[in-house]
């Protein structure tokens, strides 16, 4: 694999090997300087906290030089295109690019321009894909449940329509053989294309949570949303917010994931986000290990 742009159609064996390697990093295996002498640029045209910092840390741990590109303080503000920005940084000898962009397909378009030996990782494009988030979510589920993904009952709840995280999670869950995926949102936030093929789709949160082992909740992406898709934040919380009371329908051992950033009191209550079922900070921790494994696989 030259680039990691999506988890769609990525073979199960590749994903499992990647997760095993990430687990080894999480367990504290000796880290080889696999990226010694390699320059990696985090090329973010959209805001980020955890994705960008964890890629930075992952690349540094593998011995890379890390450069940051910040659209707001760059020549993008003078009208320079993403393609020209990419070619400019690549011309400096940078070989790894971690790219986030608001447009669907934007990272693949840059990958098509890349010279042989340059690797791009999609850190989120539009609504389409966020493959390392999908991988770190699978690692977190494996750890939290102690089961194979194939044997987990997984509920994905919230703004699926706008979520690249949900799309990458779905690709990964299917690749790993998960047979019980419930997708739950108000009708206005459910995609109408093939995204949810094979899922049990419902607008009823209690039905989605019934016996679930894993609840993956999603941020309401108001920056990508037209007005009127939800009546009010209060009504959304009443219908789809993950609270202790709603979780009484899930399995007793159920865990809750959220990719962050969280809207407290909207898609998740404080008590759940900070409570014993929450694996939100485990996801963040696993993000570093997964991104180390991805960078090593592509550039090591
Ligand atoms: C997500 C993203 O940017 O797609 N955040 C993340 O990378 N952890 C989810 C979101 O912004 O809601």
């Amino acid at each position: 694999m030259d680039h990691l742009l999506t988890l769609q159609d990525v073979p199960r064996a590749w994903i499992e090997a990647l997760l095993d390697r990430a687990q080894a990093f999480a367990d504290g295996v000796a880290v080889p300087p696999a990226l010694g002498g390699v320059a990696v640029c985090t090329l973010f045209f959209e805001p980020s906290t955890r994705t960008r910092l964890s890629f930075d840390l992952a690349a540094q741990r593998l011995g890379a030089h890390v450069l940051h590109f910040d659209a707001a303080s760059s020549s993008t503000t003078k009208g320079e295109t993403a393609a020209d920005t990419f070619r400019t940084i690549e011309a400096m000898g940078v070989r790894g690019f971690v790219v986030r962009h608001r447009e669907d397909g934007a990272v693949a378009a840059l990958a098509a321009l890349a010279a042989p030996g340059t690797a791009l990782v999609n850190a989120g494009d539009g609504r389409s894909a966020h493959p390392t988030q999908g991988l770190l979510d699978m690692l977190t589920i494996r750890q939290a449940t102690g089961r194979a993904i194939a044997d987990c009952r997984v509920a994905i709840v919230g703004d699926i329509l706008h979520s690249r995280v949900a799309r990458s999670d779905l690709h990964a869950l299917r690749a790993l053989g998960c047979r019980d995926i419930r997708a739950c949102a108000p009708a206005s936030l459910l995609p109408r294309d093939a995204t949810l093929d094979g899922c049990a789709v419902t607008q009823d949160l209690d039905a989605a949570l019934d016996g679930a082992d894993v609840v993956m909740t999603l941020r309401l992406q108001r920056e990508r949303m037209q007005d009127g898709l939800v009546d009010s934040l209060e009504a959304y919380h009443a219908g789809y917010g993950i609270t202790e009371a709603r979780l009484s329908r899930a399995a007793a051992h159920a865990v809750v994931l959220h990719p962050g950033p969280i809207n407290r009191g909207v898609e998740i209550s404080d008590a759940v986000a900070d409570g014993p079922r929450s694996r939100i900070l485990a996801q963040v921790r696993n993000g570093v290990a997964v991104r180390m494994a991805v960078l090593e696989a592509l550039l090591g």
Side-chain angles (χ1 to χ4, degrees), residues 25-182:
F25 284 133
D27 290 341
V29 75
V31 180
L35 269 60
V38 175
V40 173
C41 179
T42 57
L43 189 61
F44 277 53
F45 297 93
E46 265 196 349
S48 172
T49 298
R50 69 221 88 222
T51 302
R52 180 173 177 147
L53 289 175
S54 60
F55 266 112
D56 182 346
L57 201 53
Q60 288 189 45
R61 288 200 175 147
L62 293 165
H65 298 291
V66 184
L67 284 76
H68 292 299
F69 165 86
D70 173 26
S73 61
S74 74
S75 291
T76 304
T77 58
K78 302 178 191 170
E80 190 163 38
T81 64
D84 285 333
T85 304
F86 169 72
R87 285 198 195 94
T88 297
I89 301 170
E90 194 187 37
M92 298 175 193
V94 173
R95 283 293 159 261
F97 288 85
V98 178
V99 189
R100 171 170 286 189
H101 201 285
R102 81 195 69 81
E103 282 168 31
D104 298 290
V107 186
L110 295 181
L113 303 174
T118 297
L120 277 76
V121 183
N122 183 0
D125 65 320
R127 308 174 178 193
S128 294
H130 192 350
T132 58
Q133 182 74 42
L135 292 167
L136 75 88
D137 286 346
M138 297 308 112
L139 186 64
T140 307
I141 293 173
R142 254 178 32 171
Q143 292 168 351
T145 63
R147 296 194 215 182
I149 303 285
D151 300 324
C152 291
R153 288 160 292 191
V154 180
I156 302 179
V157 181
D159 184 359
I160 300 171
L161 180 65
H162 299 101
S163 179
R164 53 199 177 203
V165 173
R167 287 176 179 77
S168 284
D169 282 336
L170 284 162
H171 294 147
L173 289 166
R174 290 191 189 107
L176 296 173
C178 186
R179 293 169 299 238
D180 187 343
I181 311 173
R182 302 97 179 263

Side-chain angles (χ1 to χ4, degrees), residues 2-50:
D2 296 329
H3 310 289
L4 179 61
L5 302 175
T6 175
L7 295 178
Q8 189 161 22
D9 303 325
V10 171
R12 178 174 188 158
W14 188 92
I15 294 178
E16 285 180 337
L18 200 291
L19 295 180
D20 290 345
R21 183 63 172 152
Q23 184 62 56
F25 284 133
D27 290 341
V29 75
V31 180
L35 269 60
V38 175
V40 173
C41 179
T42 57
L43 189 61
F44 277 53
F45 297 93
E46 265 196 349
S48 172
T49 298
R50 69 221 88 222

